[in-house]
Amino acid sequence: MKKILIIFVALFMMIFNVNALEITSEHAVMYNLNDNKIVYEKNKDEITSIASLTKIMTTLVAIEQIADINKTVVLNNSMFEGLYEAEAAVIGLKDGQVLTYEDLLYGTFISSGADATRALTISLAGSETNFVKLMNDKAKELGLVNTKYINATGLDEIGQTSTVDEVARLLKVALENKLFKTIFESRSYTLSDDSMTIYSTLSNTSIRYGLNINSVVGAKTGYTDDAGFCLASVGHDKTNDIKYLLVTTKAPISFEKANHLEDAIEVYDYYFNNYKYYNLVDKDAKLLTFDTKYSKLKNVSFKAPYDVKYYSDSSFNKEQVRLKYNGPDVLKPFTKVGKEIGTLDIMYGDQKVNTISVTLQEKVPFSIIQFLKSNIVIIILIIILGRIIKKRKRKKKTIKRYNRRYRKK
């Protein structure tokens, strides 16, 4: 009855946790980066416009194409054609300006300048169309089957779509690149020609609406009429040392509040305050005790080689931790220290959280006395049998000698 009650409470808490978050964004997914597991989702696989979240791919592909980030590019007006008419966000680059590829990368990403994006893609691939082909090739390489790029800036265009989960998966890959990670986490950057200092759209938005973003490590914002307010970010729960990656799209467009950023803060705060890691097993805790055979030691122990942690909300219950051992229960001498004996599944309820390799951690010394004690009956029987056999052999020899003697007579 107690077990049923525990399960019921756990299920209730799970349902409560799902309903406790009510964000305005239509699509959302959040990964616990420590475990690389999804912990929150809302229409994560539904096709959506992603606005300037497109520039995550633009920046990653550009970095992979650039041999020298300090190489300079001479800008010209043809690079900026149509951006004004499309009401694209720009940082104000000018005809004849000479900038480095590094400048264009930062201008593309942190301040989301479509002019920097155009200059970057055209200088690298000859045209934005050619560059977009590279972006689609990369999407295919990464298995992003619902992601399709028509332009590199993220402007609304029929056929330019993705899902929040595929954006999240892309961002995880991109963050493995050192330069991308540095750009992603930057809040400001001064162009190499000292013409201006640009600031991240995340910083500008938080300042404008008075929002605390101390827990946000880095982010890419996005906005178009079709995509609404979008945000791809990484948040760090410093208290529990857990990093999360959150992607949201289609938050309602409002210039009185930053719905996308408020959604992110709400989700992060909720998980920071309600979720953490609990120890299922403590390092050096005695997990198993083995009987021994033919040894001076009656038994030997196996201790946990490391902590086994479990991510959970406050409904965590230590009583649901179970150990499931697979291997022999009795150990014999001459087994080498460090040899794997079996495996130990660490269970939380019916869920297998971890499997520990069970190895011999101390010697099992052989004892001749214990060997004799354990086999005394067999030894006695062997001795008696040996005597019987010896006696029979002597008898046979006696009979043979007798027969030979009387045959001669």
Side-chain angles (χ1 to χ4, degrees), residues 156-186:
D156 283 338
E157 201 163 346
I158 296 173
Q160 174 131 332
T161 55
S162 186
T163 68
V164 288
D165 190 52
E166 291 196 353
V167 172
R169 286 160 52 196
L170 168 62
L171 182 54
K172 284 191 291 179
V173 172
L175 288 170
E176 293 172 5
N177 183 286
K178 186 177 180 181
L179 177 55
F180 182 95
K181 186 172 185 290
T182 300
I183 295 170
F184 179 79
E185 295 178 356
S186 297

Side-chain angles (χ1 to χ4, degrees), residues 136-150:
N136 285 317
D137 289 344
K138 187 68 176 180
K140 187 179 295 184
E141 176 191 325
L142 296 175
L144 308 179
V145 297
N146 294 308
T147 298
K148 177 70 175 178
Y149 301 105
I150 307 299

Side-chain angles (χ1 to χ4, degrees), residues 137-346:
D137 289 344
K138 187 68 176 180
K140 187 179 295 184
E141 176 191 325
L142 296 175
L144 308 179
V145 297
N146 294 308
T147 298
K148 177 70 175 178
Y149 301 105
I150 307 299
N151 62 65
T153 59
L155 291 170
D156 283 338
E157 201 163 346
I158 296 173
Q160 174 131 332
T161 55
S162 186
T163 68
V164 288
D165 190 52
E166 291 196 353
V167 172
R169 286 160 52 196
L170 168 62
L171 182 54
K172 284 191 291 179
V173 172
L175 288 170
E176 293 172 5
N177 183 286
K178 186 177 180 181
L179 177 55
F180 182 95
K181 186 172 185 290
T182 300
I183 295 170
F184 179 79
E185 295 178 356
S186 297
R187 300 290 171 93
S188 66
Y189 177 83
T190 300
L191 299 184
S192 60
D193 65 355
D194 291 324
S195 60
M196 70 177 84
T197 296
I198 56 177
Y199 297 88
S200 73
T201 52
L202 174 71
S203 294
N204 286 338
T205 304
S206 65
I207 292 169
R208 179 179 177 182
Y209 294 99
L211 298 172
N212 185 341
I213 57 167
N214 290 338
S215 61
V216 180
V217 176
K220 181 73 197 77
T221 62
Y223 156 69
T224 64
D225 290 340
D226 192 40
F229 282 152
C230 308
L231 183 67
S233 62
V234 170
H236 187 196
D237 175 2
K238 295 177 182 177
T239 302
N240 298 301
D241 195 21
I242 305 172
K243 283 190 175 180
Y244 296 94
L245 187 154
L246 173 66
V247 178
T248 59
T249 63
K250 285 208 169 182
I253 298 170
S254 169
F255 296 103
E256 295 179 357
K257 57 189 299 191
N259 287 309
H260 53 331
L261 195 47
E262 289 191 6
D263 281 351
I265 292 169
E266 180 180 350
V267 174
Y268 284 139
D269 283 352
Y270 180 79
Y271 277 85
F272 290 4
N273 293 326
N274 292 283
Y275 283 79
K276 65 178 183 178
Y277 283 95
Y278 295 87
N279 265 22
L280 301 186
V281 168
D282 297 323
K283 183 180 178 182
D284 295 327
K286 186 187 292 185
L287 302 182
L288 297 169
T289 300
F290 297 96
D291 291 331
T292 62
K293 197 170 185 179
Y294 313 142
S295 176
K296 290 184 289 186
L297 299 176
K298 288 186 178 181
N299 52 62
V300 294
S301 301
F302 173 74
K303 296 180 180 179
Y306 48 80
D307 291 334
V308 176
K309 298 180 179 295
Y310 181 71
Y311 178 77
S312 177
D313 61 12
S314 57
S315 66
F316 175 81
N317 188 333
K318 190 82 172 180
E319 292 182 10
Q320 293 193 61
V321 179
R322 296 188 298 111
L323 306 180
K324 187 179 178 182
Y325 172 65
N326 304 289
D329 296 318
V330 179
L331 300 182
K332 296 179 181 179
F334 309 116
T335 303
K336 289 184 179 180
V337 173
K339 181 179 179 179
E340 183 176 289
I341 302 164
T343 58
L344 183 65
D345 293 335
I346 312 300

Side-chain angles (χ1 to χ4, degrees), residues 34-86:
N34 295 43
D35 294 335
N36 194 27
K37 292 182 178 178
I38 294 173
V39 294
Y40 176 73
E41 62 178 273
K42 178 182 179 183
N43 303 321
K44 73 178 181 69
D45 297 317
E46 192 170 289
I47 301 295
T48 178
S49 296
I50 58 171
S52 283
L53 301 191
T54 296
K55 295 188 180 82
I56 296 170
M57 180 65 88
T58 307
T59 304
L60 176 61
V61 171
I63 289 171
E64 293 177 344
Q65 296 297 312
I66 296 170
D68 179 7
I69 62 171
N70 295 312
K71 185 177 178 180
T72 57
V73 176
V74 180
L75 310 187
N76 60 74
N77 282 331
S78 65
M79 294 176 171
F80 314 136
E81 287 180 2
L83 295 181
Y84 177 79
E85 291 78 6

